[in-house]
Amino acid sequence: MKVLICDEPGRLRLIERPEPVPAEGEALVRIRRVGICGTDFHIYQGKHPFLNYPRVMGHELSGTIERAPTGSGLRAGQNAYIVPYLSCGTCVACRKGVTNACQAISVLGVHCDGGMAELISVPAANVVPVGDTPLDDAAMIEFLAIGAHGVKRGGIAAADRVLVAGAGPIGMAAAIFAKARGAHVTVMDLREDRLAFTRDALGADALLPAGDAAEAEAAAATSGDLYDCVIDCTGNRAAMQRGFGFVGHGGRYVLVSVVRDDITFSDPEFHKRETTLLASRNAQPDDFAEVVRQMQAGRVPTAALRTHRGPLAAGADLFRDWLRPEAGVIKAILEV
């Protein structure tokens, strides 16, 4: 089978590998679409802190089931998406049902080889049929589920004023699912084009340029109350620390972003506001199901989010092109 492999930073090659042989309890899936995310670009650029090369990337996956184990409820010919988080099932987090925080989690395309290949074999429990959902949309479910999980962690309700910091794909996903809960959503970013997209395509209620005056503008827009919930999706340490200042009294701060640095904040301000600080990692099965429900309800503008596409065989050239800021990529899809 054909596989797109990243041998080292900046080097992608299309190679041939033997087809995988499913182990007991695994399903064999023919990959049809692979969504490209920031993690893939970081791997390609050599910026990912927890990765060994060579690596087959790809964790936003949809395809068609080729073979499934007896009793799995899956059958050949079904279209499906793949949950890329392989959890151990026995650690303290898994025993609590928090499989997204498994102590020994292995993520396809990061800790082990992923789906930039014609076929992949994964545990049957990680393969979810999608019915009539198009394969293009199914390949976008994973990154959207990360945003949905952050919104769930923030306990967002219809009465909330929410600030989403960072208008990349994950921030856009958070804005979509906060809006789906009826919240008033403000999006903050440095890029004017991304802000305009969140307003025009995603229905953001307000925009906040992330310049020096952002705090004053936020206070003016909320009559000094600031925000009931702030969701950080910037991936930037300074921005994450700055975000504490946008949380209103009694508010929640959700860190979807993760960086290797220490994050610090003013303890007097933190206590004065009785801020609730929450981490949000990966996503859980109900988050994936929520994405599918909102897709079926027409609340996820997948066609607008999906800005670029191309064949797996051209992946090496496409990665170089898609990395250019002027390319305007929001979500790119490789077709297998």
Side-chain angles (χ1 to χ4, degrees):
M1 67 173 182
K2 292 182 174 60
V3 175
L4 187 65
I5 191 167
C6 188
D7 289 311
E8 59 187 10
R11 186 180 182 215
L12 285 169
R13 288 190 302 135
L14 195 68
I15 64 170
E16 290 282 340
R17 270 189 181 177
E19 294 185 1
V21 177
E24 184 178 354
E26 290 188 339
L28 185 67
V29 180
R30 184 166 296 279
I31 297 298
R32 296 298 189 187
R33 302 287 188 274
V34 183
I36 309 302
C37 84
T39 297
D40 300 312
F41 288 130
H42 288 156
I43 293 170
Y44 178 72
Q45 293 173 299
K47 295 180 179 179
H48 198 287
F50 310 121
L51 185 124
N52 295 315
Y53 298 89
R55 177 63 70 226
V56 178
M57 298 181 288
H59 61 274
E60 299 180 5
L61 308 170
S62 67
T64 305
I65 298 169
E66 293 269 309
R67 290 204 303 275
T70 302
S72 66
L74 306 174
R75 66 177 187 275
Q78 287 180 304
N79 287 341
Y81 67 83
I82 294 175
V83 177
Y85 320 127
L86 309 181
S87 54
C88 72
T90 58
C91 74
V92 62
C94 288
R95 295 198 305 271
K96 292 177 180 177
V98 192
T99 54
N100 58 308
C102 171
Q103 290 178 300
I105 198 166
S106 183
V107 180
L108 294 175
V110 180
H111 304 101
C112 59
D113 282 348
M116 289 189 186
E118 292 182 313
L119 291 161
I120 192 170
S121 183
V122 293
N126 290 70
V127 180
V128 184
V130 292
D132 295 332
T133 300
L135 287 168
D136 279 351
D137 291 357
M140 299 170 69
I141 291 172
E142 191 270 344
F143 93 87
L144 291 162
I146 292 175
H149 186 66
V151 167
K152 182 180 72 178
R153 289 285 286 159
I156 290 171
D160 285 335
R161 284 188 290 202
V162 175
L163 175 67
V164 176
I170 301 299
M172 292 181 184
I176 288 168
F177 291 99
K179 285 288 296 179
R181 290 187 174 212
H184 182 282
V185 177
T186 299
V187 179
M188 179 169 67
D189 200 275
L190 286 168
R191 287 181 55 173
E192 293 183 3
D193 59 330
R194 288 288 179 93
L195 289 177
F197 181 89
T198 64
R199 178 194 60 213
D200 299 339
L202 309 183
D205 299 290
L207 308 179
L208 182 61
D212 294 339
E215 284 84 355
E217 292 176 9
T222 60
S223 302
D225 292 339
L226 298 176
Y227 299 95
D228 301 298
C229 185
V230 177
I231 303 178
D232 178 86
C233 305
T234 64
N236 179 278
R237 175 177 177 265
M240 293 164 75
Q241 294 184 160
R242 186 185 188 190
F244 284 89
F246 292 94
V247 182
H249 283 240
R252 292 95 65 198
Y253 189 23
V254 181
L255 296 178
V256 179
S257 295
V258 58
V259 294
R260 296 196 69 179
D261 306 298
D262 291 339
I263 301 297
T264 62
F265 53 86
S266 166
D267 186 61
E269 285 295 323
F270 185 78
H271 274 81
K272 182 172 72 177
R273 304 178 193 208
E274 200 178 46
T275 304
T276 299
L277 178 61
L278 298 152
S280 180
R281 185 185 186 194
N282 300 327
Q284 296 172 329
D286 62 316
D287 302 310
F288 284 82
E290 171 69 3
V291 173
V292 174
R293 282 195 296 271
Q294 298 297 348
M295 279 184 171
Q296 292 172 343
R299 297 191 183 100
V300 183
T302 51
L305 292 165
R306 191 171 51 247
T307 55
H308 293 68
R309 66 189 309 122
L312 183 73
D317 292 331
L318 291 172
F319 258 71
R320 285 192 292 271
D321 291 341
W322 290 341
L323 268 169
R324 295 180 299 109
E326 58 270 26
V329 173
I330 294 176
K331 178 55 58 179
I333 300 284
L334 285 177
E335 301 171 341
V336 185

